Amino acid sequence: MTDITIAIDKLDKIGIDKVRTELEQKGLTPAQISTIEKYLAINGSKPRNFYISRPRSNLPIHVYSTFLGRKHELAKLIEFLSPSKRAYILTIDGIGGIGKTALAVEAARRCTMAFSDENSDRLPYFESVIFASAKSNYLRYQRILPRPARESTLSDVFRVISEVLDDQSIMQAPKESQVKKVYDSLARQSTLLIIDNLETFDGGADVNTELMAFLEEIPAGTKAILTSRIRNGYHVQLNLSEIGRA
């Protein structure tokens, strides 16, 4: 409680980044610091976005000015991402082209706006947002275009995580040590991880036990959204059964 009181007292004077550094120097764990930061966002006298940093993100650039439809599903997804919800893995499933990826990316994009949006108090905040997709092509301007790179293995996902978190030690570690390195890196901040087109990852959605085993053990503060044409029965499900309506 003393740490929380001191942090709140310094918050408006030096900002959240320096407060976090001081807490780390005092030996607090990432989990303890994360708990304290929840109090900081509530007790600071300045707007919430003064206390939080711009998130690291590799989200694809959106080419629309307004996201239309799927209001109910988007609200459900934002609710799932709230730190107050214990569930940490959600699968969006539905037929190809129904909007699974667009929905996941829009929810994540709105969370990145918690840094500056005037309605940021209503949005979950993640320090990092990581997008990995096994799609080999995408639809853009009514044309199917090839993706320059796709992530189809767990090692590919680790590579993207290391790039977004700027932690090259992950890929430099021996293969048998990489999972622990990833967990350690994720544990240093709150992270939203999107795994897109799960059914086309090597092994497919049903038998890629390596990927699912990795997701089962992601550290507290990390949440994962999966998209798939196949309902896999894992954790929370959000089915897109028809074309979205406003």
Side-chain angles (χ1 to χ4, degrees):
M1 184 60 70
T2 301
D3 291 322
I4 294 176
T5 303
I6 294 173
I8 291 174
D9 182 60
K10 291 186 174 183
L11 189 59
D12 291 339
K13 301 174 184 176
I14 65 176
I16 186 63
D17 290 333
K18 291 183 179 179
V19 168
R20 186 185 295 115
T21 298
E22 289 192 7
L23 293 173
E24 290 173 349
Q25 292 173 345
K26 292 183 67 175
L28 273 71
T29 66
Q32 291 171 324
I33 293 173
S34 178
T35 299
I36 289 176
E37 286 178 340
K38 295 176 183 177
Y39 288 92
L40 301 187
I42 295 172
N43 289 279
S45 63
K46 296 184 179 182
R48 179 184 182 228
N49 55 27
F50 175 82
Y51 305 111
I52 59 180
S53 305
R54 184 183 299 277
R56 296 187 177 100
S57 170
N58 70 330
L59 284 175
I61 298 173
H62 64 285
V63 295
Y64 50 83
S65 58
T66 304
F67 183 78
L68 299 176
R70 298 290 184 200
K71 289 184 178 179
H72 175 74
E73 292 89 345
L74 185 58
K76 282 286 190 183
L77 201 46
I78 295 293
E79 181 183 11
F80 157 77
L81 294 173
S82 168
S84 66
K85 298 297 181 181
R86 295 182 62 184
Y88 59 95
I89 301 176
L90 178 144
T91 300
I92 304 173
D93 67 88
I95 62 173
I98 202 168
K100 302 181 295 295
T101 302
L103 179 63
V105 170
E106 178 63 18
R109 188 189 68 80
R110 294 195 182 193
C111 288
T112 65
M113 295 303 293
F115 170 78
S116 58
D117 194 278
E118 63 180 6
N119 297 315
S120 62
D121 287 344
R122 305 173 192 171
L123 295 168
Y125 170 71
F126 294 92
E127 293 164 278
S128 299
V129 178
I130 302 172
F131 178 84
S133 178
K135 283 183 178 177
S136 57
N137 52 58
Y138 59 93
L139 180 64
R140 184 68 51 85
Y141 305 118
Q142 298 183 333
R143 296 175 59 192
I144 296 178
L145 303 175
R147 292 187 72 233
R150 62 188 291 261
E151 293 75 50
S152 60
T153 68
L154 185 59
S155 179
D156 290 338
V157 174
F158 287 175
R159 173 180 52 79
V160 174
I161 291 173
S162 73
E163 291 171 354
V164 177
L165 299 185
D166 194 22
D167 186 352
Q168 299 309 310
S169 69
I170 292 173
M171 302 310 295
Q172 293 168 356
K175 187 173 182 180
E176 61 272 13
S177 304
Q178 283 183 347
V179 172
K180 184 179 185 306
K181 284 283 188 181
V182 171
Y183 287 154
D184 289 344
S185 193
L186 290 174
R188 297 189 189 108
Q189 68 275 300
S190 56
T191 301
L192 172 57
L193 177 62
I194 300 174
I195 305 292
D196 182 48
N197 241 48
L198 183 63
E199 74 279 358
T200 57
F201 272 74
D202 288 359
D206 290 330
V207 296
N208 195 336
T209 56
E210 186 181 37
L211 176 60
M212 297 313 299
F214 161 71
L215 293 173
E216 284 283 354
E217 300 296 328
I218 53 178
T222 301
K223 294 211 174 192
I225 297 175
L226 318 178
T227 74
S228 176
R229 298 185 184 188
I230 301 171
R231 175 166 287 196
N232 56 33
Y234 286 106
H235 308 96
V236 181
Q237 301 282 326
L238 180 59
N239 176 254
L240 302 189
S241 57
E242 58 183 16
I243 299 299
R245 297 172 182 160

